[in-house]
């Protein structure tokens, strides 16, 4: 038997579909691949842009004894330097004193989302130094770094830095938000901490 006869033999019990039920199966969508012609440097830039669009950008973190800051990879060092110096005026703030970890996380998520919706660029989050905590450890301060660098908040954040002494020092963070280009922001309610004069 030749190939045609073998095929016909194998298909002898198969019933063809009626013409009305026949459809072409669409080819699978091509996976996102980096064009081969890009040089290595261009490939890195291309990957960074892809991560920016998808919200998968990683953060570079810097620590000292008390202070910590972070920025998305590729952010100009000049911007982070200005943030550290308190040269961006913060447009709103929240104070987490008296909150436990779960309460603080919910408040921070709502506050950041609301601030972004209202097109704020810089906000202040007061986490405290942990002096009143059980082990005198700044639990919320450490948690805050984690929350700002992971979903759902990382897509709103460009950078953050420990505040200047007059704004709370090591117990507070300036947070620089991405630019919100939306025309009609969605505003949610948020539970605030203490009033400003109580900071």
């Amino acid at each position: 038997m030749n190939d045609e006869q073998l095929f016909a033999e194998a298909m002898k019990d198969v019933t063809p579909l009626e013409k009305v039920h026949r459809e072409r199966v669409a080819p699978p969508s091509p996976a996102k691949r980096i064009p081969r012609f890009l040089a290595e440097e261009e490939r890195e830039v291309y990957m960074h842009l892809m991560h920016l669009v998808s919200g998968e950008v990683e953060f570079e973190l810097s620590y000292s004894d008390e202070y910590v800051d972070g920025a998305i990879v590729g952010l100009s060092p000049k911007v982070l330097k200005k943030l550290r110096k308190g040269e961006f005026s913060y447009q709103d703030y929240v104070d987490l004193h008296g909150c436990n970890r779960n309460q603080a996380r919910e408040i921070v998520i709502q506050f950041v989302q609301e601030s972004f919706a209202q097109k704020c660029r810089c906000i202040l989050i007061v986490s405290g130094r942990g002096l009143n905590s059980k082990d005198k450890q700044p639990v919320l301060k450490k948690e805050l770094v984690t929350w700002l660098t992971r979903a759902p908040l990382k897509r709103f954040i460009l950078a953050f830095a420990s505040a200047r002494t007059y704004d709370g020092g090591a117990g507070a963070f300036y947070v620089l938000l991405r630019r919100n280009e939306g025309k009609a922001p969605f505003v949610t309610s948020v539970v605030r901490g203490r009033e400003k004069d109580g900071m």
Side-chain angles (χ1 to χ4, degrees):
M1 278 192 194
N2 61 27
D3 289 345
E4 289 181 7
Q5 291 171 324
L6 284 171
F7 181 76
E9 179 66 25
M11 296 292 117
K12 69 180 180 184
D13 296 327
V14 175
T15 306
L17 287 173
E18 297 177 21
K19 287 188 177 181
V20 291
H21 295 297
R22 290 183 187 178
E23 290 182 15
R24 288 189 175 272
V25 177
S29 58
K32 288 184 180 177
R33 292 183 181 174
I34 302 172
R36 292 181 183 176
F37 59 82
L38 291 179
E40 190 58 37
E41 308 83 54
E42 291 173 314
R43 292 167 72 88
E44 288 179 16
V45 173
Y46 184 84
M47 285 299 294
H48 181 66
L49 289 173
M50 282 180 62
H51 289 319
L52 273 174
V53 171
S54 65
E56 295 175 4
V57 174
E58 297 300 319
F59 282 79
E60 290 179 324
L61 301 175
S62 301
Y63 291 88
S64 68
D65 291 341
E66 281 201 31
Y67 293 87
V68 60
D69 59 53
I72 61 168
V73 174
L75 185 72
S76 168
K78 291 179 182 177
V79 174
L80 187 55
K81 189 174 181 181
K82 284 179 69 175
L83 188 65
R84 285 187 193 125
K85 288 183 174 182
E87 292 181 16
F88 290 96
S89 297
Y90 65 88
Q91 295 147 302
D92 205 351
Y93 81 98
V94 69
D95 189 337
L96 303 176
H97 279 105
C99 297
N100 65 33
R101 184 176 296 157
N102 292 335
Q103 291 168 334
R105 184 174 184 274
E106 290 305 311
I107 289 170
V108 168
I109 289 172
Q110 288 183 348
F111 177 63
V112 170
Q113 289 175 337
E114 180 186 63
S115 298
F116 179 79
Q118 292 179 347
K119 300 191 177 183
C120 294
R121 290 307 311 280
C122 186
I123 55 177
L124 179 72
I125 301 177
V126 181
S127 60
R129 294 169 178 263
L131 300 178
N132 296 322
S133 66
K134 183 181 175 184
D135 300 318
K136 305 291 184 192
Q137 294 296 314
V139 177
L140 292 184
K141 177 182 171 182
K142 292 176 182 175
E143 291 290 341
L144 189 56
V145 172
T146 302
W147 300 335
L148 294 176
T149 56
R150 296 190 182 163
L153 293 184
K154 71 177 184 175
R155 65 191 183 103
F156 300 110
I157 312 294
L158 280 177
F160 56 88
S162 294
R164 305 287 283 177
T165 305
Y166 50 78
D167 283 327
F173 286 94
Y174 299 124
V175 180
L176 187 64
L177 302 178
R178 292 177 183 274
R179 194 177 299 280
N180 180 356
E181 304 294 351
K183 293 180 181 177
F186 175 74
V187 180
T188 60
S189 61
V190 64
V191 180
R192 295 295 170 86
R194 297 178 183 175
E195 295 300 320
K196 192 165 189 174
D197 58 4
M199 277 174 55

